[in-house]
Amino acid sequence: MKEKPKKSVRMWVARDKDGSLYLYKNKPTEKTNGSNPQWLTTSFYVIGLDPDLFPSVKWEDNEPTKVIIRLA
């Protein structure tokens, strides 16, 4: 039996302290990498986003923001 294709994917959005915004496949954790605090994940699936997107997502957030990506 053929598996149905997914109609949506759960991903995560987080902003680093320098204002950079990223979309993550796996939930990232907050880490301090030397003098550059940032969100990190073990996944290679990370996409840089326009920093003007998701203005409500801040570095000061306790958790990354979960988003649902709908697939066509």
Side-chain angles (χ1 to χ4, degrees):
M1 182 173 196
K2 209 171 193 186
E3 197 174 310
K4 281 186 177 181
K6 290 183 179 182
K7 293 185 180 184
S8 63
V9 177
R10 180 185 67 199
M11 298 186 87
W12 304 89
V13 174
R15 188 176 304 277
D16 286 350
K17 190 168 186 177
D18 69 2
S20 300
L21 186 68
Y22 296 96
L23 179 69
Y24 298 87
K25 181 178 180 186
N26 298 328
K27 185 177 179 181
T29 56
E30 185 180 333
K31 297 287 183 195
T32 299
N33 186 6
S35 63
N36 185 22
Q38 58 188 320
W39 292 93
L40 298 174
T41 181
T42 57
S43 170
F44 292 108
Y45 300 104
V46 178
I47 299 171
L49 300 175
D50 181 328
D52 293 334
L53 296 172
F54 299 96
S56 62
V57 175
K58 309 277 187 222
W59 164 253
E60 295 80 12
D61 296 343
N62 292 328
E63 292 283 323
T65 301
K66 181 170 46 171
V67 294
I68 304 296
I69 307 295
R70 298 196 190 280
L71 305 173

